[in-house]
Amino acid sequence: MSTGTAVVSATERDEFNPFLAMAEHFETAADHLELDPGVREVLRTPDRELTVSLPVLMDDGSLKVFKGYRVQHNFLRGPCKGGIRFAPDVHVDEVRALAAWMTWKCSVVALPFGGAKGGVICDPRELSQGELERITRRYTASIMDILGPDRDVPAPDMNTNEQTMAWIMDTYSMHVRRTTTAIVTGKPLTLGGSRGRTEATGRGVMIACREAMKKLGMRPEATRVVVQGSGNVGGIGAMLLHREGYNVVSMSDMYGAIHDENGLDVPDVLRWLREHKALEGYPEATHLDNDEQLGLECDLLVPAATENQITSQNVDRVRAKLVVEGANGPTTVPADAILENRGVTVVPDILANAGGVTVSYFEWVQDRMGYFWTEEIVNSRLEQTMVSSFNEVDACAKRHQVSMRTAAYILAIGRVADVYRMRGVFA
Ligand code: NAD
């Protein structure tokens, strides 16, 4: 039964549009929750969308105008939280989808945050450090009326990093005339960053793998793992899985994949990557292209690169019985349905990669207290959050007889809807 306005029809569906994918998962969960049509509309509509034009002086003396966005999807459960990405193909639909995913992700792991996302259309490969700094500072100044430790707290995302966060923190602090570390997370340690933040998403992915394996009766030493992407999430995730005794048989980056059926020496692969910036040429493994990697014989697949990687075109070749989504939106809606019909367990992105935002929350808490935790404390609190959230999603899946993805959305949307009902309609 669907009580809401259909926002996506089969004919309209574009397999690769992340906003439509998010909307489709939302509607499925909202049906299970039998959500009132009005509440449904409130929860699926972004609360605020800001588009800004950023005039920036380039190194050659010319003036160029960049376009930036900040979408705040929902702040019923607390300040908005979400990354900022710099990329030539940033699109407002993508930013909207990512903002909504942040609302559901924060809710599924019970953090007191809503969701937001930002982006600037630019190609960082063509920009100098100076130009990147000026874009970042101008973007911050242009959106700062809606930012703040109690309003909206950005973090890094694609092509932004600790340095970008340091510039945002400084620009904001200069405007408000006091150092405000809690305005962003993912900062350098010396500027109020948290221990364990860099590894947090990969660590969370490793914990999600471990909990799912227990549920399926799989043992790490008998598990062949394929990891797509070897950046912050994939590289660190592969390293931690390797340390736990899993057999990581393949890793990849945007240029190609490597494979060794007896297991890769992951620390050695990461050393090579640090030195050579790509897996290309790595001497101790067979090389394949990215599409071949997804069809490799394995038990566990960890897509940790980018969106729309497991699609209706290649899902039939996926052999794993467990998929743990390190990336946001790596599985398209049609591919997800096919995996579910085949009995493949998928631990969804909003749960599996929530370790990053969880430790971002810890960073915000530490900044506000002005008191910093040891790495052991950060890791043990992350562990508690991931394990209890996994178990809640698993129990919800059993209760509603649905996939873990639908269960995660049911749990997340249900929590936000409860808050909305209790707070009431402001008029
Ligand atoms: P990153 O830039 O550090 O690494 C991305 C990796 O994927 C690189 O190795 C890149 O070469 C590779 N890659 C890109 N396209 C590929 C392709 N088509 N095939 C194979 N490899 C490809 O990024 P990251 O921070 O590791 O983020 C990866 C994903 O995880 C993104 O979807 C991101 O939104 C999501 N995520 C990241 C975090 C975090 O804390 N970093 C948290 C939650 C979710």
Side-chain angles (χ1 to χ4, degrees):
M1 177 198 67
S2 176
T3 50
T5 320
V7 288
V8 186
S9 75
T11 47
E12 275 174 326
R13 183 195 293 151
D14 169 356
E15 184 173 356
F16 300 107
N17 181 321
F19 188 69
L20 296 185
M22 191 286 300
E24 201 151 334
H25 293 311
F26 174 87
E27 293 301 327
T28 305
D31 286 348
H32 279 277
L33 288 162
E34 297 185 8
L35 266 196
D36 170 86
V39 174
R40 228 181 249 240
E41 193 163 359
V42 170
L43 299 192
R44 70 169 167 241
T45 310
D47 205 85
R48 182 149 50 184
E49 299 185 357
L50 186 58
T51 304
V52 289
S53 295
L54 314 169
V56 173
L57 204 51
M58 307 304 284
D59 289 349
D60 65 4
S62 66
L63 191 60
K64 215 169 154 182
V65 180
F66 294 86
K67 188 178 248 183
Y69 303 102
R70 185 72 181 168
V71 176
Q72 296 176 335
H73 174 255
N74 188 289
F75 44 77
L76 282 164
R77 301 183 71 256
C80 292
K81 190 85 196 76
I84 291 169
R85 61 173 56 173
F86 287 177
D89 56 354
V90 164
H91 187 278
V92 70
D93 256 0
E94 179 198 31
V95 181
R96 276 188 197 123
L98 290 161
W101 270 324
M102 285 307 295
T103 304
W104 313 135
K105 193 181 297 187
C106 291
S107 180
V108 87
V109 289
L111 306 180
F113 285 141
K117 205 79 182 189
V120 177
I121 304 172
C122 64
D123 188 349
R125 286 170 308 183
E126 290 177 358
L127 298 164
S128 69
Q129 274 293 96
E131 288 166 341
L132 277 172
E133 176 172 356
R134 292 193 289 279
I135 290 173
T136 305
R137 288 187 182 277
R138 182 61 199 240
Y139 173 68
T140 308
S142 298
I143 66 168
M144 73 167 275
D145 286 344
I146 63 168
L147 298 184
D150 293 309
R151 288 183 178 151
D152 183 355
V153 184
D157 193 70
M158 265 165 56
N159 298 321
T160 58
N161 54 26
E162 285 193 347
Q163 177 61 76
T164 325
M165 296 306 111
W167 290 328
I168 294 177
M169 194 276 261
D170 183 70
T171 305
Y172 184 89
S173 298
M174 287 300 155
H175 277 85
V176 299
R177 300 286 191 266
R178 59 183 174 275
T179 294
T180 310
T181 52
I183 179 61
V184 278
T185 60
K187 298 180 293 296
L189 261 186
T190 45
L191 267 61
S194 176
R195 290 187 172 76
R197 174 61 186 91
T198 310
E199 302 79 22
T201 309
R203 182 172 293 281
V205 168
M206 180 272 284
I207 297 168
C209 291
R210 191 190 63 207
E211 295 306 304
M213 300 256 303
K214 277 195 223 156
K215 187 169 97 97
L216 297 172
M218 292 162 70
R219 286 176 303 115
E221 55 286 4
T223 300
R224 293 159 302 171
V225 192
V226 167
V227 182
Q228 188 197 43
S230 32
N232 178 271
V233 184
I236 292 171
M239 179 71 186
L240 295 173
L241 289 169
H242 172 81
R243 268 196 214 148
E244 296 288 309
Y246 293 71
N247 199 14
V248 178
V249 294
S250 177
M251 293 172 68
S252 69
D253 64 16
M254 64 202 304
Y255 310 108
I258 53 171
H259 178 226
D260 181 344
E261 62 183 14
N262 297 315
L264 295 165
D265 179 349
V266 180
D268 191 54
V269 174
L270 295 180
R271 252 192 312 276
W272 174 275
L273 253 182
R274 270 194 300 275
E275 240 173 76
H276 301 267
K277 309 289 172 221
L279 295 171
E280 197 181 358
Y282 180 68
E284 308 296 334
T286 312
H287 289 255
L288 343 150
D289 66 39
N290 280 330
D291 207 40
E292 283 176 282
Q293 190 204 27
L294 287 174
L296 283 173
E297 205 57 66
C298 69
D299 308 290
L300 164 59
L301 172 63
V302 182
T306 184
E307 290 137 39
N308 297 329
Q309 294 303 300
I310 306 175
T311 69
S312 53
Q313 301 302 307
N314 62 20
V315 66
D316 288 340
R317 292 191 286 113
V318 170
R319 316 280 179 91
K321 45 183 172 277
L322 173 61
V323 175
V324 177
E325 295 183 332
N328 287 315
T331 313
T332 66
V333 175
D336 193 47
I338 293 168
L339 289 175
E340 191 181 344
N341 284 339
R342 273 180 25 205
V344 176
T345 300
V346 178
V347 184
D349 46 8
I350 59 171
L351 171 64
N353 71 33
V357 73
T358 301
V359 176
S360 272
Y361 164 61
F362 297 160
E363 180 175 333
W364 178 79
V365 169
Q366 292 171 80
D367 287 339
R368 289 168 71 102
M369 288 193 300
Y371 176 67
F372 292 86
W373 310 344
T374 62
E375 191 161 348
E376 289 69 34
I377 291 179
V378 171
N379 288 347
S380 90
R381 288 181 177 160
L382 170 62
E383 166 94 24
Q384 274 170 28
T385 302
M386 290 302 299
V387 172
S388 62
S389 305
F390 184 95
N391 289 334
E392 280 174 331
V393 171
D394 190 36
C396 179
K398 292 194 173 104
R399 206 163 50 245
H400 288 268
Q401 295 288 301
V402 293
S403 67
M404 287 197 80
R405 184 180 319 275
T406 300
Y409 275 82
I410 290 175
L411 208 62
I413 295 167
R415 283 178 180 155
V416 182
D418 281 348
V419 170
Y420 188 61
R421 284 192 207 98
M422 297 288 284
R423 285 179 62 156
V425 183
F426 173 76

